[in-house]
Amino acid sequence: MRKRTLFSIAAGTAAAGATTLAYASLIERNMFTLRRYDVPVLAPDAEPLRILHLSDMHMTPNQRRKQDWVASLAATDPDLVVVTGDNLAHPAAVPGALRALEPLLDYPGAFVFGSNDYKGPVWKNPFSYFFPDREYRQGAVLPTEELRDVLVGAGWVDLNNARTSLKAGGRLVELIGVDDPHVGRDEYELVAGPASREADLRVGLTHSPEPYILDAMSGDGFDILLAGHTHGGQVCVPFVGALVTNCDLPRSMARGLFRWPGSDSWLHVTAGIGTHPTAPVRFACRPEASILTLIPR
C-alpha cells in the first residue's frame, strides 16, 4: 500500500511538472501583453507624452507571431519609441527584428544594445543564474552593425555611451544612454553631467539596470530611467515573484515602475518580449511591452 501511495505521489508530481512546463513553453511565452503606466514627471499643465518601451526580443528566424505583435504596437501611436537591447538571438535574426520594428521606425526613437546584440546565446544551466560569480560565456558573433545601420538610417538615435536631445510629441527630450553594463561595455564617464534644465523631459537608457548606472543617471537629474535585461525573472513563483534578476538590482524591482531610492527619478524595468532561446519558457511572467504615459507631477 505504501509503495502504491508513493508511486501515485510521484506520478502526480511528474504529471503536474509536465503540465506546467507545457504551459510555460507553449502558452505563456506567447501571451504577449501591453502594460500601461502613468508616470508623473512633466511640468504642471503639460500635455501627456507617450513612450513605447520595448526590450529583449531575443529574435530568432521565423518567429512570426512575435514579429507581428511587435509590429502591431505602432497602433498605440507613441510620441517616442525606446528600445533597451537584446534584439537578436541568432546570426540570421536581423530581417525578423526589422520586420517587427519597421512600422515603428516612422516615430522618433532611441536605442541601446544588450550583450545579445553583439554575441549569440549559448546553452546554460538555468540554475547557474543563482550564482552571480559564474563564468560568463557567449556564442556566435551577431550582425550588430547591420542592425545599427538600419535603425540609425531610419532616424533613431544610437545612445550606446552617448547623449543627445530630440523633439518628440512637440517637446524637447534630452536622452542619455550606456552600452550594456552586464558585459562591461558601459562608459558613463564619457557622457556624465547635469541634465539640461531647458529640456521638457530627461530620459536615461541602459540594458541592464545596474544600480551604479541608475545612481549616476538619477544623480545627474534624469527624470525617468528605462531598462530591460531581467526578463522580470522569466520564471516566477506566484505571490513571491522573481527569484533572480541576473544583475545587482533587487528581486523586488525585477519588473514594473518604481521610484529609484534616494532620488526624484522614476525607474521602469520591462520584463521584455522574448526568452533565452535555450530556455523558451515563461511562468507567472508574461512577455510584455509598455506604454508609459508621462503626465504632470
Side-chain angles (χ1 to χ4, degrees):
M1 180 68 71
R2 181 177 295 177
K3 287 183 178 179
R4 230 177 326 192
T5 301
L6 291 174
F7 178 79
S8 297
I9 293 173
T13 302
T19 299
T20 300
L21 179 61
Y23 166 80
S25 61
L26 299 176
I27 298 176
E28 185 165 326
R29 78 178 178 96
N30 293 309
M31 296 174 69
F32 301 110
T33 301
L34 181 63
R35 310 285 185 192
R36 297 179 183 272
Y37 300 90
D38 288 344
V39 192
V41 296
L42 298 181
D45 301 323
E47 290 294 320
L49 187 146
R50 289 153 48 85
I51 297 178
L52 174 63
H53 182 193
L54 310 174
S55 196
D56 297 88
M57 289 196 298
H58 289 282
M59 194 69 71
T60 59
N62 304 317
Q63 290 186 317
R64 303 288 290 215
R65 183 184 301 181
K66 184 193 298 184
Q67 295 165 19
D68 289 343
W69 185 77
V70 173
S72 75
L73 295 175
T76 63
D77 194 27
D79 296 304
L80 176 67
V81 182
V82 168
V83 178
T84 50
D86 275 8
N87 300 282
L88 309 177
H90 189 281
V94 169
L98 294 179
R99 181 176 180 272
L101 295 173
E102 185 175 18
L104 297 167
L105 296 178
D106 292 333
Y107 297 93
F111 66 92
V112 293
F113 283 152
S115 61
N116 285 153
D117 290 308
Y118 295 101
K119 292 186 179 180
V122 295
W123 187 89
K124 300 173 184 176
N125 182 340
F127 293 101
S128 69
Y129 286 97
F130 290 95
F131 302 97
D133 294 330
R134 71 190 185 279
E135 180 186 359
Y136 186 76
R137 297 182 298 118
Q138 291 182 284
V141 174
L142 297 178
T144 312
E145 298 310 316
E146 180 182 351
L147 178 63
R148 191 196 313 269
D149 288 347
V150 174
L151 297 181
V152 171
W156 280 16
V157 177
D158 180 354
L159 287 174
N160 288 291
N161 300 319
R163 183 170 181 166
T164 192
S165 296
L166 56 73
K167 280 294 188 82
R171 262 66 63 84
L172 180 65
V173 180
E174 185 179 23
L175 296 152
I176 195 169
V178 292
D179 209 340
D180 191 4
H182 187 60
V183 287
R185 299 183 67 99
D186 57 298
E187 295 182 282
Y188 190 77
E189 66 277 6
L190 298 181
V191 294
S196 170
R197 295 298 98 190
E198 296 179 0
D200 299 296
L201 174 69
R202 294 150 286 272
V203 182
L205 277 65
T206 176
H207 175 65
S208 180
E210 299 294 346
Y212 72 92
I213 292 293
L214 303 177
D215 283 341
M217 290 181 173
S218 64
D220 277 341
F222 285 83
D223 301 304
I224 183 167
L225 317 176
L226 307 179
H229 178 70
T230 66
H231 294 196
Q234 189 165 318
V235 175
C236 297
V237 176
F239 310 110
V240 174
L243 299 180
V244 295
T245 62
N246 198 25
C247 64
D248 289 336
L249 192 73
R251 291 185 294 110
S252 60
M253 304 176 82
R255 59 173 171 166
L257 180 69
F258 313 93
R259 275 283 197 182
W260 183 242
S263 78
D264 294 328
S265 302
W266 290 88
L267 168 66
H268 178 254
V269 181
T270 176
I273 297 166
T275 64
H276 193 291
T278 66
V281 297
R282 278 186 180 258
F283 187 76
C285 185
R286 293 184 181 185
E288 66 180 39
S290 296
I291 283 285
L292 307 171
T293 300
L294 311 186
I295 59 176
R297 297 182 186 88

